[in-house]
Amino acid sequence: MQLLQNILQNVNVLSTHGPLDVAVQGITFDSRQVREGVLFVAVRGVQADGHTFIPKAEEARAVAIVCEELPQELNPSITYVQVKNSSEALGYLAAAFYGNPSAKLKLIGVTGTNGKTTSVTLLHKLFRELGYHVGLISTVQNQIDEEVIPSTHTTPDAVKLNELLAQMVKAGCTHVFMEVSSHAMVQHRVVGITFAGGVFTNITHDHLDYHGTFDEYIKAKKSFFDMLPKNAFALINADDKRGPVMVQNTKASTHFYALRKAVEFKGRIIDNTIQGLHLEVDGQEIWAKLIGTFNAYNLLAAYGVAVLLGEEPTEALTVLSSLNSAAGRFDYIVSESQITGIVDYAHTPDALENVLNTIQQIRNPNQKVITLVGCGGNRDVAKRPLMADIACRLSDKVILTSDNPRFEEPQAILEDMQKGVKPLDYKKTLSVLDRKEAIKTACMLAEPNDIILIAGKGHETYQEIKGVKYDFDDKQVLRELMQQLGK
């Protein structure tokens, strides 16, 4: 419980109507969660405007209402606070209500198109092995040490985020590693959060359905580094040409990691096989369990963060060499007939190309690569033909199928993807609408020693169709079908 006047301190308030010394017992921007003593914040969302639900919040006896536009009639038993930006105000209010938990932690945010989940997962595992109590906030799951808390968004909303961080403080966590999405930046979900450091992995074509243009997407990512305080660090992938752009206006100390440039945290791939990576990092050789160039970058980022947080470099590298990746990231099984099945979350053109390039690097000349890929519905349409083109260019056979069609017609999504298939690739490309049937087809086409890539869903255990999430786990389906077919 907090007094309203105490949690308003950082909010840009335009006017107040009613007493400010009222007790706030909770904060929400969902009118359905309002009860007596709860503060309701009317946020303008993508699909709905919270201002239209102010009457419901009033009926539910909210103690106070924060909004950009005041209702025509004010309820004398409710305090109204008019603000310039409700979603920004929500961040400050939530942080203050939960006692500014981020300021009591070494909180590191990781942003970029690809590599966020693997990087934060590696850091969580690394710092657990180093003996710390550690929190994790990621697309796959949230964790307090080893306790798993289900995840619904890459970055939770401001209220849930601060509540989670407060739980982590209470549990004795000293470090927290979290993904920071571009959506979170635009929607002010991390306003009021104090970061000790930020990491930029890379930026490629994604989320243009939301941001509109690539420039806007870049601005959203850059805004994370703009908000870092002077005593924080920014660790940037120098091999990404937009890396320097991210830190043009940051107040944080700037550091770089790379495979191709001479920078502070320098890595070199000595060997890359299905068994893992042999790397040279800052002059020391390590053998890591992770596979592929993209994972070399993820390992370098985790190493750089550890050193910047004061850990001993050799000890950090020793622990990193023993760690596995996040679920659904180049997650592979090998059948009795030596068919390798790889499940990966690659759902952007760049991520798919990275995974397929890695497979090309580690495969034997006589191994065929069979790629199964789909694209999500109600998302960036422009990437659909690109995904199909990349799959065709880097595979021997391609199966186009459904991903999470959501509210779109699956056939329409496939037709968008088919536009990227060149005439020369028609013969090696199949379209199978049902994802399970598509995986079965891939298994039937595979011969001993071949490689099957199931791309797009990774760790997800559902398939979303017309607003319903049906149970579906790519890795489980692949394993079962391999066994059924005697593969």
Side-chain angles (χ1 to χ4, degrees), residues 129-355:
E129 288 291 324
L130 291 171
Y132 295 98
H133 291 293
V134 190
L136 169 71
I137 301 172
S138 82
T139 305
V140 177
Q141 62 193 27
N142 303 321
Q143 279 183 243
I144 299 175
D145 284 337
E146 300 308 312
E147 179 194 351
V148 175
I149 300 161
S151 172
T152 55
H153 292 81
T154 299
T155 310
D157 66 65
V159 178
K160 286 179 183 170
L161 175 57
N162 280 281
E163 182 183 16
L164 184 57
L165 291 171
Q167 288 173 8
M168 291 173 175
V169 170
K170 190 176 180 182
C173 290
T174 53
H175 298 71
V176 176
F177 303 101
M178 72 174 280
E179 295 184 49
V180 180
S181 68
S182 55
H183 291 68
M185 293 309 302
V186 173
Q187 294 168 12
H188 302 108
R189 289 186 221 160
V190 294
V191 166
I193 300 294
T194 303
F195 287 93
V199 179
F200 170 72
T201 58
N202 51 66
I203 192 162
T204 60
H205 201 286
D206 199 18
H207 300 306
L208 301 197
D209 56 302
Y210 181 80
H211 297 287
T213 67
F214 193 47
D215 280 347
E216 287 302 312
Y217 180 42
I218 292 170
K219 281 180 190 174
K221 294 291 188 190
K222 179 180 176 294
S223 66
F224 172 58
F225 296 95
D226 292 349
M227 71 171 279
L228 291 177
K230 191 176 180 181
N231 60 350
F233 65 79
L235 178 60
I236 306 297
N237 178 357
D239 288 339
D240 189 291
K241 65 182 180 182
R242 293 178 180 87
V245 174
M246 294 293 140
V247 288
Q248 279 176 345
N249 304 105
T250 192
K251 295 184 285 292
S253 62
T254 304
H255 308 264
F256 293 93
Y257 67 98
L259 290 174
R260 300 196 301 265
K261 293 180 180 174
V263 292
E264 185 175 354
F265 300 107
K266 175 77 171 74
R268 180 173 69 89
I269 297 174
I270 298 168
D271 200 11
N272 179 19
T273 71
I274 194 71
Q275 282 78 40
L277 283 161
H278 182 191
L279 298 171
E280 182 186 331
V281 178
D282 283 352
Q284 299 186 68
E285 287 189 26
I286 67 161
W287 285 260
K289 292 182 179 180
L290 278 67
I291 300 162
T293 303
F294 56 94
N295 273 324
Y297 281 108
N298 295 331
L299 285 161
L300 264 181
Y303 168 71
V305 168
V307 174
L308 290 169
L309 287 173
E311 299 305 313
E312 204 280 314
T314 302
E315 189 178 6
L317 285 175
T318 302
V319 175
L320 281 169
S321 68
S322 69
L323 301 181
N324 294 312
S325 186
R329 272 63 176 177
F330 216 92
D331 207 348
Y332 70 93
I333 54 176
V334 180
S335 74
E336 288 181 13
S337 58
Q338 296 303 300
I339 294 169
T340 301
I342 299 167
V343 173
D344 195 274
Y345 189 52
H347 62 286
T348 67
D350 185 64
L352 183 63
E353 188 161 14
N354 283 338
V355 170

Side-chain angles (χ1 to χ4, degrees), residues 46-65:
V46 177
Q47 297 175 333
D49 184 351
H51 290 75
T52 61
F53 299 100
I54 288 175
K56 283 191 177 181
E58 291 171 329
E59 280 176 38
R61 302 179 71 182
V63 68
I65 292 173

Side-chain angles (χ1 to χ4, degrees), residues 420-457:
V421 180
K422 295 179 173 66
L424 283 173
D425 295 323
Y426 287 164
K427 282 187 178 180
K428 71 176 184 183
T429 306
L430 297 171
S431 292
V432 182
L433 205 58
D434 181 272
R435 192 172 181 90
K436 186 171 183 179
E437 281 299 312
I439 295 174
K440 184 177 181 180
T441 302
C443 291
M444 291 173 71
L445 289 171
E447 296 173 357
N449 296 312
D450 285 349
I451 298 171
I452 299 170
L453 171 64
I454 311 293
K457 289 174 58 57

